[in-house]
């Protein structure tokens, strides 16, 4: 957790491998495609979590 704190609060730089970047971009593209389907709710993508899971978040 200390490493996460340093990245988030101290803005410590991190480096990702090419394969990590590729997986992140693929996940982002998937989430964006899901958000484009405005009629469907996807848990944690366009909804809240736990008790807010039935509350739709509007894509900004």
């Amino acid at each position: 957790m200390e490493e996460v704190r340093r990245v988030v609060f101290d803005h410590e730089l991190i480096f990702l491998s090419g394969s990590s970047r590729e997986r992140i971009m693929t996940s982002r593209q998937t989430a964006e495609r899901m958000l484009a389907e405005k009629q469907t709710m996807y848990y944690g993508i366009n909804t809240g979590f736990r008790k807010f899971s039935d509350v739709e978040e509007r894509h900004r």
Side-chain angles (χ1 to χ4, degrees):
M1 289 305 292
E2 175 60 22
E3 292 171 331
V4 172
R5 189 202 63 74
R6 288 194 318 259
V7 170
V8 172
F9 296 108
D10 298 339
H11 306 287
E12 184 172 305
L13 293 179
I14 60 169
F15 297 93
L16 301 174
S17 68
S19 63
S20 294
R21 288 175 188 258
E22 188 175 310
R23 289 193 312 266
I24 290 168
M25 291 306 297
T26 298
S27 296
R28 180 185 176 131
Q29 290 167 352
T30 300
E32 288 177 351
R33 265 196 318 275
M34 293 167 80
L35 288 170
E37 299 173 12
K38 297 181 188 325
Q39 301 296 325
T40 305
M41 290 178 66
Y42 294 100
Y43 178 78
I45 300 291
N46 60 350
T47 71
F49 292 97
R50 296 183 182 225
K51 69 179 182 178
F52 300 108
S53 65
D54 60 347
V55 177
E56 184 177 0
E57 285 288 324
R58 298 288 176 200
H59 183 65
R60 293 177 180 97

